Amino acid sequence: MTNGIAQAVAVRDGRIIAVGADADIAPHIGESTEVVDLAGRALLPGFQDSHVHPVLAGLTMIRCDLHEARDADHALELIAAYAGANPDEEWIGGGGWSMDWFPGGTPARGLLDAIVPDRPIHLINQDGHGAWVNTKALEVCGLDADTPDPQDGRIEREPDGFPQGTLHEGASNLVSGRMPEPSSADLLRGLHAGQERLHSVGVTAWQDAMVSPEVQQAYESAADAGTLTGRVVGALWWDRERGAEQIPELVARRRATGRFRTTSVKIMQDGVAENFTAAMTSSYLDGCGCGTGNHGLSFVDPVALRDHVTGLDAEGFQVHIHAVGDRAAREALDAFAQAREVNGANDNRHHIAHLQVVHPDDVPRFAALGITANMQPLWAAYEPAMNELTIPFLGAERAEWQYPFGDLHRTGASLAAGSDWPVSSADPLLGLHVAVNRSIPDEPYDVFFPAQCLDVTTAFTAYTLGTARVNHLESDTGTIEVGKYADLITLDRDPFTDPDRILETKVLATYVEGAEVYRASSPAHV
């Protein structure tokens, strides 16, 4: 193997039985052996995504999907087309709009009213932390100027107090809670659509970061039917409206079904910076650079969080915490510190996802506590939402604390990498490019705090062995070694040779246990 790339591999019964040069593999070739000539192309372990929502993404793909929209006008065209093509749908659901398409990041209800005035619309933001609704949806759900903001969210309002059309965080649930629930068949279709997309970008294993009982049932149905081809750890969703009384229920849901295991619990501790709900140690700034007094939201009381994490840890659960702001990251680390003090060290492999802003004092704590930094590298770049909706309200000093992947690596933290798809692209090669270069191709911006760039090997390892370790899969996957599953990908070039051109690399084929689950159809990829 060179840079993690094998020249030749032999597979039998789904496992790798030999790795090395062509001459090393030749003795394993018999009359019935299928030989795949890579013609010098790269063979690597399959990518693994440490934080992704394939069922949600798949549902969006089969509903009103705005992820391919270029701007607000294009999104409205797609919504109108979907509504026209689906006249019998009582509600129009879907999502994928981007905050930077709209002034202040807040699309208005009137834009939707102009195209669909007679049916309720609820469209989830691309980052999953808000929704865009029309007036009909507000009327159906009884929202008006007198409706208070929920504890875990905010209603964007017009001058008279009436809801403007954008619902942040938990306020989205005031409408989504009235929408028809997706059927079990819909969820299964969504899972299969999401899985197909992940395989097409070389992903063979993942952690689903939001598993409700209904989503769990879809995974288990697919596993029982043999149609779940990815290896999946499901992070059971922690209901932040409840407390420790839900732990026995989570224990009852913990099981393994084929390639699917529910051994993790996901706690969302805060929101996102763009709508000022990420929990910060100091307040957000206003447009003039003055403090606002708004420090964001801690969705779970920090003291209660420590006790909940300690209880889950004692039950043998891995805990997966969403933390975008530096206060949320600190609250999560404090919770893991208490769990370790009370329960002792163990092998539960807790991790904190996103980590947009991390206070420098907390960076060394990841390694000290054995907490994996679960990165979404694609966000670590200058782009319109970062430049217009984030940095001006963080300030210069705190802006430099964003996505400190290099510092985390240098202080000894374990790294895992994921996409948070459908919040952003599922493509690991795009995330890998940004992790290494801290810039998005074709964007006219400088490198985003270059001291935090990762080398190609470290970034690639986070997308393979690093995530395998989080999911307790490293003895069977994550590298190309004898005895491990043949979960492999072939690429049209070696991504290690030219870090500036990683994004030009294409996935040619994806294999799980040696069985092909994706093959590129375009001749340009061959």
Side-chain angles (χ1 to χ4, degrees):
M1 299 177 69
T2 303
N3 288 329
I5 302 173
Q7 183 180 17
V9 171
V11 177
R12 180 184 297 139
D13 298 328
R15 298 269 185 179
I16 297 169
I17 60 170
V19 181
D22 291 339
D24 300 321
I25 304 303
H28 297 279
I29 300 175
E31 293 183 2
S32 61
T33 303
E34 178 184 358
V35 178
V36 179
D37 185 357
L38 297 178
R41 301 181 185 98
L43 176 70
L44 295 93
F47 291 119
Q48 303 194 26
D49 193 314
S50 58
H51 184 110
V52 67
H53 307 280
V55 180
L56 172 62
L59 283 174
T60 302
M61 291 166 66
I62 62 177
R63 291 177 171 175
C64 185
D65 186 2
L66 305 179
H67 286 91
E68 299 303 319
R70 298 182 299 272
D71 52 29
D73 289 339
H74 189 202
L76 291 167
E77 290 176 13
L78 293 175
I79 297 165
Y82 182 87
N86 297 274
D88 297 328
E89 287 194 4
E90 178 185 357
W91 282 74
I92 295 175
W97 56 273
S98 180
M99 294 178 71
D100 59 86
W101 297 344
F102 304 96
T106 55
R109 59 191 172 98
L111 296 172
L112 295 175
D113 295 344
I115 55 175
V116 186
D118 56 344
R119 284 185 284 167
I121 300 178
H122 179 275
L123 299 169
I124 300 170
N125 182 356
Q126 193 174 88
D127 66 16
H129 290 268
W132 180 16
V133 300
N134 64 350
T135 302
K136 188 66 174 179
L138 296 170
E139 291 174 351
V140 167
C141 298
L143 273 64
D144 57 25
D146 296 324
T147 304
D149 288 346
Q151 183 178 357
D152 62 346
R154 189 177 80 253
I155 300 170
E156 200 72 32
R157 299 181 188 271
E158 296 167 352
D160 64 358
F162 194 84
Q164 171 263 6
T166 301
L167 306 175
H168 300 290
E169 298 296 342
S172 172
N173 299 332
L174 300 175
V175 172
S176 64
R178 294 286 298 275
M179 296 176 68
E181 292 290 338
S183 67
S184 57
D186 289 336
L187 290 168
L188 197 56
R189 284 179 62 209
L191 169 57
H192 287 143
Q195 175 176 257
E196 182 178 357
R197 172 60 179 157
L198 289 175
H199 286 334
S200 76
V201 292
V203 175
T204 56
W206 59 89
Q207 182 159 147
D208 189 315
M210 189 169 63
V211 175
S212 65
E214 295 78 16
V215 169
Q216 180 173 355
Q217 182 181 16
Y219 271 114
E220 291 176 348
S221 295
D224 287 337
T227 59
L228 181 65
T229 45
R231 303 186 196 284
V232 186
V233 168
L236 303 176
W237 184 251
W238 179 267
D239 184 350
R240 59 183 181 248
E241 300 299 322
R242 303 174 64 199
E245 73 276 6
Q246 65 190 290
I247 293 179
E249 301 167 18
L250 297 171
V251 171
R253 290 174 56 196
R254 181 171 53 194
R255 52 184 171 267
T257 307
R259 293 185 174 120
F260 178 65
R261 295 178 291 119
T262 48
T263 52
S264 186
V265 173
K266 165 72 176 300
I267 300 176
M268 181 173 285
Q269 185 57 12
D270 69 344
V272 293
E274 292 87 349
N275 65 13
F276 315 124
T277 57
M280 301 290 180
T281 55
S282 57
S283 78
Y284 289 94
L285 306 179
D286 61 17
C288 298
C290 300
T292 63
N294 175 19
H295 289 67
L297 300 175
S298 292
F299 292 152
V300 180
D301 175 80
V303 175
L305 179 70
R306 295 198 289 269
D307 292 338
H308 298 335
V309 168
T310 300
L312 290 166
D313 178 72
E315 291 288 351
F317 275 114
Q318 173 189 94
V319 182
H320 177 163
I321 296 183
H322 163 120
V324 169
D326 64 331
R327 190 178 84 238
R330 181 170 292 175
E331 289 166 353
L333 290 165
D334 290 346
F336 290 130
Q338 175 176 299
R340 186 165 185 162
E341 180 179 355
V342 173
N343 300 330
N346 55 44
D347 195 35
N348 291 339
R349 306 185 188 182
H350 306 305
H351 48 125
I352 305 175
H354 308 324
L355 301 169
Q356 178 168 352
V357 180
V358 183
H359 194 287
D361 291 348
D362 290 319
V363 169
R365 299 181 67 194
F366 284 80
L369 292 169
I371 305 303
T372 296
N374 186 335
M375 312 178 296
Q376 283 62 61
L378 186 53
W379 305 345
Y382 290 114
E383 41 78 32
M386 174 64 71
N387 300 342
E388 300 166 15
L389 300 176
T390 305
I391 289 178
F393 307 102
L394 292 180
E397 180 184 38
R398 192 163 43 185
E400 292 192 27
W401 300 351
Q402 292 186 93
Y403 305 113
F405 305 149
D407 287 344
L408 286 162
H409 178 57
R410 284 185 286 272
T411 54
S414 295
L415 304 180
S419 65
D420 205 11
W421 182 58
V423 173
S424 51
S425 170
D427 188 353
L429 287 163
L430 179 55
L432 185 63
H433 177 97
V434 177
V436 172
N437 296 288
R438 301 281 285 202
S439 64
I440 297 174
D442 302 324
E443 290 283 3
Y445 304 119
D446 293 336
V447 176
F448 187 74
F449 305 114
Q452 304 305 331
C453 292
L454 297 175
D455 64 87
V456 181
T457 299
T458 298
F460 179 80
T461 300
Y463 272 106
T464 51
L465 187 60
T467 296
R469 285 174 176 151
V470 163
N471 283 345
H472 289 82
L473 288 172
E474 79 278 10
S475 62
D476 286 316
T477 67
T479 58
I480 298 178
E481 296 181 71
V482 172
K484 290 193 173 186
Y485 286 122
D487 294 358
L488 308 168
I489 56 175
T490 58
L491 305 178
D492 67 347
R493 70 193 70 199
D494 179 353
F496 291 86
T497 59
D498 190 348
D500 293 332
R501 301 179 64 189
I502 293 172
L503 194 55
E504 297 178 18
T505 308
K506 304 297 182 184
V507 175
L508 301 178
T510 304
Y511 302 88
V512 174
E513 294 183 33
E516 184 178 283
V517 294
Y518 167 77
R519 175 167 292 277
S521 58
S522 170
H525 290 195
V526 176

